[in-house]
Amino acid sequence: LDPLLLPVILAVLISGYVVEFLGAYVAALLHELGHMAAARIFGERVEALRFLPVGMNAAIDDSGSKFRQTIIYLSGPLVNLFLFAGCM
């Protein structure tokens, strides 16, 4: 956890936007899980999932081919498209 995440959570609690914050954070988590799932399918090593004040970041050892890297990079936005479609 990034140390700056705690003041952000405090600000969210004070402002009353807890549901909105959680919704955005869950969407960001699913996005990163999309990257991580694709990496695991291709046998790449997932080093960490970092929680940051503005979202998350999956640290992936992407030493594979350019094709594999591209699929891993596109898998997160693909999850976002499914989330969007599910909200329609």
Side-chain angles (χ1 to χ4, degrees):
L1 290 176
D2 189 288
L4 292 177
L5 182 59
L6 297 176
V8 169
I9 292 173
L10 182 61
V12 167
L13 291 172
I14 291 170
S15 69
Y17 287 101
V18 175
V19 172
E20 293 84 352
F21 179 79
L22 289 175
Y25 234 70
V26 167
L29 176 62
L30 293 173
H31 173 100
E32 294 303 323
L33 288 174
H35 291 301
M36 294 168 70
R40 296 287 296 174
I41 288 169
F42 285 123
E44 301 290 341
R45 197 178 106 190
V46 177
E47 296 174 3
L49 177 62
R50 291 182 279 245
F51 292 84
L52 306 169
V54 293
M56 293 168 215
N57 175 265
I60 298 170
D61 178 25
D62 55 356
S63 59
S65 69
K66 293 292 183 194
F67 174 76
R68 286 181 175 191
Q69 289 178 5
T70 302
I71 297 299
I72 292 169
Y73 294 154
L74 290 176
S75 61
L78 182 62
V79 169
N80 290 16
L81 289 175
F82 284 125
L83 288 174
F84 174 75
C87 289
M88 295 306 289

